[in-house]
Amino acid sequence: MTGLGPNELRTLLTDLGAADFGDWSHSEVVGVCEGLGWAVSRESLPRCETAAVPGVVRGAYLTENWDRRHGGDSEMMQLYLCAATIAPERFRDYLAVATEVWGEPSLHGGNNDAFVRWRGEITTRQLEINRRGELFVRVFATHAWEGWDYRSWEYGEGLGEVPYTWIGENDHPSLNGCYFGGRLVHSWDELSEALEMTLRDIHFGMLTLSDETHRMPADSVVISLEAADPSARGACVQLLQARDELIILVSTDTPDADTLRARGFDTDEYGAWTREFRPGPESAAAAGQLAVTLLREFGHDSPAQVTRQSWRTSAQYRRFSLHCVGVERSRAR
């Protein structure tokens, strides 16, 4: 570990929790930094101001609201820093400190990382961990950040711009009026990528965010893919992501046993055709590609002909939603 330990982090979060960023004008954000004894300059990054924060790995960075026409009137977008590098599984220890200081979080989510957010009407605070174990503390102007998220969903091109792939929340009152978007895809390659991203982020969230009560194998997310046209249904591909396993299950009225065995499937004790993977980023990619291959072999010409259902068992969230599977949710009950 490098950077701040949990006790040092508590001091930092307490200071940022008490700080008044006002309306996120440049002078107010710089004033917060100077009030905490952090010298602000442009010497290291001419296009971005930095503040010297003792003990952290790097930062803080002060970024402007680069699209004020659509992201609110604030001059500034955010202040963020890398507080520590840790084993990702230790994130729960730091999250416990943040919860003590900032209260119950508004939501949890993931996008090639795992993040926890405390949403405020003007200022939102966030703790996040990426796959390299870099622990970030982020404070941002709520309307500027969420405006950018909205435009990413509505107008962004490519899956690399999506703000999150999943959200877990417990009806926190701070989420009233909060918008959550989603992304549909238009090609099989995009669907494979969307499934890979979703499985990858779900698994990382289970590793870093699930508490001891919800780390049992029973905690799993199921994504079920089948024909959008009810009259054409008869084959289904299910992906089950858990902390310690990733499984593809094929349900079809006319299974081609030889083809399924050639693709690594076998029948389980219930007669279902399944293939197991060791969970991880590489397996998520392989599972996404295999799911697309199976859907095409079932006769679907494009992702638009596919619909999905999804659910999670034994999670610590009242609401768990997926936002980047890539196909419409089924309206079937």
Side-chain angles (χ1 to χ4, degrees):
M1 187 208 85
T2 59
L4 304 182
N7 289 331
E8 293 86 359
L9 182 74
R10 179 179 283 104
T11 300
L12 174 67
L13 299 185
T14 300
D15 290 341
L16 290 175
D20 183 4
F21 289 85
D23 294 322
W24 282 84
S25 68
H26 178 262
S27 61
E28 287 169 318
V29 175
V30 170
V32 167
C33 294
E34 292 177 343
L36 295 173
W38 305 346
V40 177
S41 74
R42 288 186 180 268
E43 293 180 2
S44 57
L45 293 172
R47 298 182 63 183
C48 174
E49 287 178 298
T50 61
V53 183
V56 304
V57 176
R58 60 182 180 275
Y61 303 97
L62 288 62
T63 66
E64 298 176 2
N65 181 5
W66 48 80
D67 192 0
R68 293 177 64 187
R69 294 171 301 169
H70 302 104
D73 294 328
S74 64
E75 288 184 76
M76 303 297 288
M77 170 74 79
Q78 63 174 327
L79 178 154
Y80 70 99
L81 57 89
C82 180
T85 55
I86 60 174
E89 292 80 2
R90 287 200 60 207
F91 183 61
R92 286 180 296 275
D93 299 334
Y94 288 76
L95 176 56
V97 172
T99 303
E100 289 177 15
V101 176
W102 288 345
E104 286 300 315
S106 303
L107 59 84
H108 302 69
N111 180 23
N112 205 23
D113 61 5
F115 63 81
V116 183
R117 187 172 294 176
W118 289 258
R119 184 177 187 263
E121 183 177 353
I122 297 175
T123 297
T124 295
R125 295 166 175 84
Q126 180 166 295
L127 195 69
E128 60 196 71
I129 183 81
N130 65 25
R131 297 178 183 282
R132 295 184 296 274
E134 295 172 320
L135 177 78
F136 284 91
V137 177
R138 194 179 303 270
V139 185
F140 55 82
T142 303
H143 295 294
W145 186 276
E146 292 181 356
W148 187 260
D149 278 0
Y150 173 82
R151 292 189 301 283
S152 297
W153 288 123
E154 297 297 321
Y155 308 114
E157 297 182 2
L159 295 170
E161 297 183 16
V162 302
Y164 40 80
T165 58
W166 68 269
I167 292 291
E169 46 103 349
N170 291 308
D171 297 324
H172 197 280
S174 66
L175 296 179
N176 290 337
C178 190
Y179 166 85
F180 297 117
R183 175 64 52 85
L184 300 179
V185 301
H186 305 287
S187 71
W188 291 117
D189 286 344
E190 282 187 318
L191 180 56
S192 175
E193 183 182 358
L195 291 171
E196 173 190 351
M197 292 168 58
T198 299
L199 295 170
R200 174 200 67 197
D201 292 349
I202 291 170
H203 184 246
F204 190 64
M206 289 176 171
L207 291 176
T208 54
L209 295 172
S210 294
D211 57 32
E212 293 297 329
T213 304
H214 300 96
R215 291 175 61 185
M216 301 169 60
D219 180 19
S220 61
V221 176
V222 178
I223 302 170
S224 183
L225 304 167
E226 60 182 349
D229 181 358
S231 65
R233 290 175 185 166
C236 173
V237 177
Q238 289 189 340
L239 300 104
L240 183 151
Q241 178 70 73
R243 179 186 174 91
D244 299 318
E245 61 183 1
L246 170 59
I247 299 173
I248 296 185
L249 181 147
V250 175
S251 174
T252 175
D253 295 335
T254 57
D256 184 336
D258 292 338
T259 299
L260 289 171
R261 286 196 177 94
R263 297 196 181 284
F265 286 85
D266 203 351
T267 53
D268 63 13
E269 64 268 30
Y270 305 105
W273 288 93
T274 63
R275 177 175 171 181
E276 297 186 16
F277 297 82
R278 183 183 298 274
E282 296 80 10
S283 298
Q289 293 168 3
L290 180 54
V292 165
T293 297
L294 292 167
L295 290 169
R296 300 184 71 175
E297 289 179 349
F298 291 157
H300 302 299
D301 294 325
S302 74
Q305 296 181 349
V306 179
T307 189
R308 59 101 173 175
Q309 297 184 61
S310 60
W311 59 91
R312 183 168 186 170
T313 61
S314 188
Q316 65 262 43
Y317 314 113
R318 292 193 186 96
R319 301 179 189 272
F320 179 83
S321 53
L322 300 179
H323 299 263
C324 194
V325 175
V327 296
E328 293 275 11
R329 286 186 296 177
S330 172
R331 292 178 173 82
R333 292 180 178 268

